[in-house]
Amino acid sequence: KEGYTSITALSALVKSIDPDIVALQEVASEADFNRLVKLMPGWQGIFYPIDNDAWNLAYLIKESEAELIAGSARLLFENDSWAFPRPPFEIRVRYKPAGTELVLINLHLKCCGGEDNESRRRSASEQLKGYLDLQHANDAVVMLGDYNDEISSSSHEENPFLNFIDDPSDYSFADMDIAMGSELWWSYPSWPSHIDHILVSDEITSMLDTTVVFKVSPCYPDYSYVLSDHRPVGITLSLL
């Protein structure tokens, strides 16, 4: 958002939070993403493998803790631009200390209100669940990112992700308590709403430790101006 200032600020903030893996949305420039990675020795960057203007997806992986499994990076549903204007970006990683493998799916679903956009997100949710049920039935899956809709409603018309919520034996939203709680901790404070989520499969449910939304602005007041109008959402997993 603010050139090299954004790059240096993000590098500093990621190092301060010190996660093992970061999934990024709305990465406007591959060249600037590469500049970010250069400021982060010991980290690997994986950029969305097609040019999608300012809406690219990417990952940062802390190499001492996790590794990308070769050949695993792929886009999903590339031929359905109605449900997926930005194809989900899937990778498989190995957590080095335990040898645990995780499938990560980075999302940025269709934005905005209105019946058409709601229908597009609902179609995306249905297709994603069908894909996970069939292709990753026994894998530990984390599907995270900008879902662009809330998960707190029990109304099918208002919540396009009820198909996951109605299958609690297989899937759960790690951030459901945040979504149902005070707006002070929601991920999109300018609306306010909570639209950035982390879904996990049942293989991971027992590993869930902590889910948080990071309020970065008290530490970096220019956060919304320099980096994003969304707050980071994170989970801690007990994999050992």
Side-chain angles (χ1 to χ4, degrees):
K1 295 179 75 174
E2 289 296 316
Y4 198 63
T5 298
S6 297
I7 297 170
T8 57
L10 182 57
S11 171
L13 287 171
V14 170
K15 292 174 184 177
S16 178
I17 295 172
D18 194 28
D20 296 332
I21 301 173
V22 183
L24 301 168
Q25 299 84 43
E26 296 190 28
V27 182
S29 163
E30 183 172 13
D32 283 336
F33 179 72
N34 290 336
R35 293 185 181 99
L36 170 69
V37 176
K38 286 183 179 179
L39 292 177
M40 302 180 66
W43 289 75
Q44 178 184 9
I46 311 162
F47 187 79
Y48 199 102
I50 64 172
D51 180 15
N52 195 25
D53 193 37
W55 310 102
N56 301 288
L57 304 174
Y59 291 96
L60 294 169
I61 298 177
K62 190 175 182 181
E63 294 175 311
S64 63
E65 300 297 320
E67 61 182 343
L68 174 70
I69 295 178
S72 67
R74 59 192 297 245
L75 298 180
L76 307 177
F77 306 106
E78 290 183 83
N79 296 323
D80 188 352
S81 60
W82 187 78
F84 298 97
R86 295 160 287 268
F89 188 14
E90 176 183 301
I91 63 173
R92 186 183 287 266
V93 298
R94 181 181 295 108
Y95 178 60
K96 290 181 177 180
T100 308
E101 291 190 6
L102 305 175
V103 173
L104 306 182
I105 300 177
N106 190 350
L107 295 183
H108 185 185
L109 299 182
K110 183 65 180 72
C111 77
C112 308
E115 185 176 344
D116 182 68
N117 291 323
E118 193 82 10
S119 295
R120 294 173 73 172
R121 290 189 289 272
R122 182 171 294 104
S123 176
S125 185
E126 291 169 352
Q127 292 186 65
L128 285 164
K129 188 174 186 303
Y131 170 75
L132 294 179
D133 287 347
L134 183 63
Q135 300 296 330
H136 293 300
N138 299 310
D139 291 326
V141 177
V142 180
M143 188 165 72
L144 70 173
D146 185 355
Y147 284 64
N148 261 317
D149 214 323
E150 298 178 334
I151 58 174
S152 55
S153 174
S154 59
S155 165
H156 179 75
E157 289 73 24
E158 296 179 358
N159 187 346
F161 311 115
L162 276 181
N163 58 325
F164 284 106
I165 295 170
D166 289 342
D167 186 7
S169 63
D170 293 319
Y171 304 100
S172 61
F173 280 100
D175 59 303
M176 181 59 81
D177 286 347
I178 295 171
M180 300 294 290
S182 169
E183 68 180 56
L184 294 175
W185 291 100
W186 288 350
S187 67
Y188 192 50
S190 60
W191 184 255
S193 59
H194 183 65
I195 58 176
D196 304 276
H197 309 297
I198 301 180
L199 181 90
V200 298
S201 65
D202 62 295
E203 290 80 8
I204 286 182
T205 303
S206 63
M207 306 176 189
L208 277 173
D209 184 315
T210 307
T211 304
V212 297
V213 171
F214 291 94
K215 285 187 176 182
V216 182
S217 55
C219 302
Y220 185 65
D222 290 335
Y223 175 80
S224 61
Y225 176 71
V226 171
L227 287 173
S228 178
D229 53 355
H230 292 244
R231 292 166 170 165
V233 183
I235 58 173
T236 301
L237 300 178
S238 299
L239 298 177
L240 293 175

